[in-house]
Amino acid sequence: MDIFRTKSVEQSIRDTEAPEHQLRKRLTATDLTVFGIGVIVGTGIFVLTGQVAKELAGPAVAISFAIAGVVCGLAALCYAEFASTIPVAGSAYTFAFATLGEFPAWVIGWDLLLELALAAAVVSVGWSGYFASMLSSIGLGLPASIAGDDPVVNVPAMLIVLILTAILVAGIKVSSRVNLILVITKIAVVLLVIVAGLFFVRAVNYMPFIPEAVPTARVEGMQAPLIQVLFGITPVAFGVIGVFSAAAIVFFAFIGFDIVATAAEETIEPQRDVPRGILGSLAICTFLYVAVSLVVVGMQRYSELSTSAPLSDAFISVGYGWLATIISVGAIAGLTTVVLVLLLGQTRVLFAMCRDGLLPRSLAQVHPHFGTPARLTMVIGAVTMALAGFVSFGELAELVNIGTLFAFVVVSVGVLVLRRTRPELPRAFRAPLVPLLPILSVLACVYLMLNLPMQTWLRFLVWMVLGVVLYFLYGYRHSRAGATAAKARQ
């Protein structure tokens, strides 16, 4: 059983030229950067800032964002090299297939399904909460059974997924234009928070910047970070350990820059523009995250921050409730773009897997008019609607983090492998300091993974076992690479 058969870079590029599976090239570096900002700036700024500051890091949450940004930066350089060398849909899945083989590619593809599908559903539920809150503020409250903390069916979440699915079916350029309008809106709101918030910052709120470590129920039992369990460390929050534990969680806020790589096949000049889109969006968003977190913990004592709407509640605490309404509008725009780009990334990863035969190839048909994988997009939209409408997630969002970090590890290793096996390949962008940089990326990602709770690891392992079973039941038997190898042996 040749489960480690690879798919050459040349074959990957040839597959993009088949008429029935050919995506239209419409995107520029600006489009990609906006896509990156669209998916990165969202949950991290509007929700996670208050949660991790209050429960794990205190004012040092800004350091946690910086740590997560540096780890992403290491991986981003590896992604940029791969995307400029193999400008094909599928991101880490495609990169793994070209370097590590079919089975590792399947594993990372299955992992990306967990990351993107769950993230899109989680964020759409967050969008529903902000939307319901905004309607309530103008006297149009929705029934608790369809929107609220524990609805029977989360109707707003399902509707936003439906609308965004229709936009994605209509074409990649339509999606990028809608995304641009919403990104401008939310960046304006974020800048408003930074500038206006500076007038209410009090130095006393930063003291102590890194609160003393204390035992806490937040990280006891199965909630304890794996690294604390492995080394027998007493579970604590705050302190230096709390800062790194917070970094592993706010990492969720950076998820998305890798999705820029999934759009490489639809980019006019991918070798030049994809690296610019990846690195540009990540740099902008890291700056915004650190700035916002410093302002918010300076406005309100970290122990008093809201865990559901920290930005708007911080302005309410200083007597500027009208700004809270504007921030809610920005949050709705921000979370809308996150869901849009997550759905986009999900469709492109599955598109690549279906085109390779590891999942039904019929789903990889491109619509003759729209130039998008319309059938696959509608299937993904329906599944995400069901998840958003009927499943309660809670802390399952941490599964998204471990899935993304695992993908980063694979891509970083893949850069080392491809440099060794195919040194002659033209690389429009070359990651610096190889092999040191990819090795640092792997170590940093693994360290953040170890800071995630034990229950997250257990759920991740269960998901991966299901993926392995599905591969041997379907993917291995229907693989195009396997069929090609079988013909060559005859």
Side-chain angles (χ1 to χ4, degrees):
M1 295 179 69
D2 186 13
I3 62 174
F4 294 100
R5 54 199 173 213
T6 58
K7 180 180 179 182
S8 70
V9 173
E10 292 78 8
Q11 182 60 52
S12 294
I13 294 174
R14 280 197 297 272
D15 284 348
T16 68
E17 298 168 357
E20 70 274 18
H21 302 302
Q22 189 172 25
L23 298 172
R24 294 180 183 174
K25 296 183 180 294
R26 299 283 183 84
L27 301 178
T28 64
T30 301
D31 292 324
L32 294 175
T33 302
V34 174
F35 267 132
I37 296 172
V39 71
I40 299 172
V41 177
T43 308
I45 280 186
F46 295 110
V47 179
L48 287 180
T49 305
Q51 177 186 331
V52 296
K54 186 173 185 176
E55 298 177 352
L56 287 172
V61 64
I63 298 177
S64 301
F65 275 114
I67 292 170
V70 169
V71 173
C72 286
L74 296 173
L77 290 167
C78 297
Y79 266 92
E81 175 167 326
F82 256 131
S84 67
T85 308
I86 315 175
V88 177
S91 186
Y93 160 78
T94 299
F95 306 154
F97 210 155
T99 54
L100 305 178
E102 180 178 281
F103 179 65
W106 166 269
V107 169
I108 200 63
W110 184 249
D111 167 71
L112 288 173
L113 297 187
L114 172 72
E115 172 197 338
L116 300 175
L118 193 57
V122 167
V123 177
S124 65
V125 171
W127 182 96
S128 173
Y130 268 100
F131 182 70
S133 176
M134 186 183 71
L135 290 182
S136 179
S137 68
I138 59 175
L140 298 174
L142 296 174
S145 60
I146 65 169
D149 292 335
D150 190 22
V152 177
V153 181
N154 198 322
V155 174
M158 297 180 73
L159 286 177
I160 190 60
V161 172
L162 177 63
I163 293 169
L164 296 178
T165 298
I167 291 172
L168 286 171
V169 168
I172 190 69
K173 200 63 182 179
V174 173
S175 304
S176 69
R177 287 168 180 163
V178 171
N179 187 59
L180 175 61
I181 295 169
L182 294 173
V183 165
I184 291 172
T185 302
K186 71 177 177 182
I187 293 301
V189 171
V190 169
L191 293 176
L192 173 65
V193 169
I194 295 171
V195 175
L198 285 174
F199 292 97
F200 304 103
V201 167
R202 297 171 60 206
V204 67
N205 289 333
Y206 291 121
M207 304 297 178
F209 194 69
I210 302 179
E212 184 178 349
V214 294
T216 172
R218 169 66 178 80
V219 289
E220 287 181 353
M222 294 299 290
Q223 284 288 335
L226 181 61
I227 194 170
Q228 296 186 19
V229 176
L230 291 176
F231 292 98
I233 302 171
T234 302
V236 297
F238 306 111
V240 174
I241 291 176
V243 171
F244 279 95
S245 296
I249 294 173
V250 300
F251 186 84
F252 182 87
F254 289 91
I255 288 170
F257 79 82
D258 54 321
I259 294 176
V260 174
T262 70
E265 195 172 323
E266 295 160 274
T267 304
I268 298 170
E269 296 186 45
Q271 288 82 1
R272 182 195 68 183
D273 291 345
V274 174
R276 291 180 179 179
I278 291 174
L279 298 173
S281 59
L282 183 60
I284 292 169
C285 294
T286 301
F287 168 77
L288 292 176
Y289 277 170
V290 172
V292 167
S293 59
L294 283 172
V295 168
V296 170
V297 296
M299 290 177 64
Q300 190 174 16
R301 187 72 180 165
Y302 72 89
S303 57
E304 300 171 359
L305 284 171
S306 163
T307 58
S308 57
L311 271 64
S312 56
D313 285 0
F315 279 96
I316 291 174
S317 72
V318 294
Y320 280 75
W322 61 272
L323 276 173
T325 303
I326 296 176
I327 292 170
S328 294
V329 173
I332 290 171
L335 297 178
T336 301
T337 63
V338 175
V339 178
L340 174 68
V341 185
L342 286 171
L343 289 173
L344 171 69
Q346 172 84 306
T347 58
R348 275 31 179 191
V349 172
L350 267 178
F351 174 78
M353 296 176 75
C354 292
R355 187 165 58 187
D356 289 334
L358 300 183
L359 291 171
R361 287 201 78 205
S362 59
L363 292 176
Q365 293 284 339
V366 172
H367 194 281
H369 177 67
F370 298 122
T372 60
R375 188 181 304 174
L376 183 60
T377 302
M378 288 187 283
V379 169
I380 290 170
V383 172
T384 306
M385 283 178 64
L387 289 171
F390 297 99
V391 179
S392 177
F393 289 96
E395 292 164 358
L396 284 181
E398 291 172 359
L399 266 173
V400 181
N401 291 7
I402 196 169
T404 305
L405 286 163
F406 180 64
F408 289 179
V409 169
V410 171
V411 169
S412 300
V413 171
V415 165
L416 291 173
V417 173
L418 199 62
R419 283 281 187 102
R420 185 176 182 83
T421 58
R422 298 294 305 275
E424 81 288 354
L425 278 176
R427 292 168 169 83
F429 178 91
R430 297 177 69 89
L433 302 176
V434 174
L436 178 60
L437 184 138
I439 292 172
L440 287 176
S441 177
V442 170
L443 294 176
C445 290
V446 169
Y447 182 73
L448 284 190
M449 290 172 74
L450 291 174
N451 275 279
L452 288 168
M454 285 181 60
Q455 65 179 9
T456 301
W457 278 87
L458 292 176
R459 290 166 177 161
F460 179 65
L461 290 174
V462 169
W463 175 258
M464 299 311 289
V465 168
L466 290 174
V468 170
V469 171
L470 182 59
Y471 170 74
F472 286 107
L473 289 179
Y474 185 92
Y476 180 79
R477 299 169 184 268
H478 295 84
S479 166
R480 288 182 64 212
T484 301
K487 288 180 180 179
R489 288 193 296 267
Q490 291 177 355

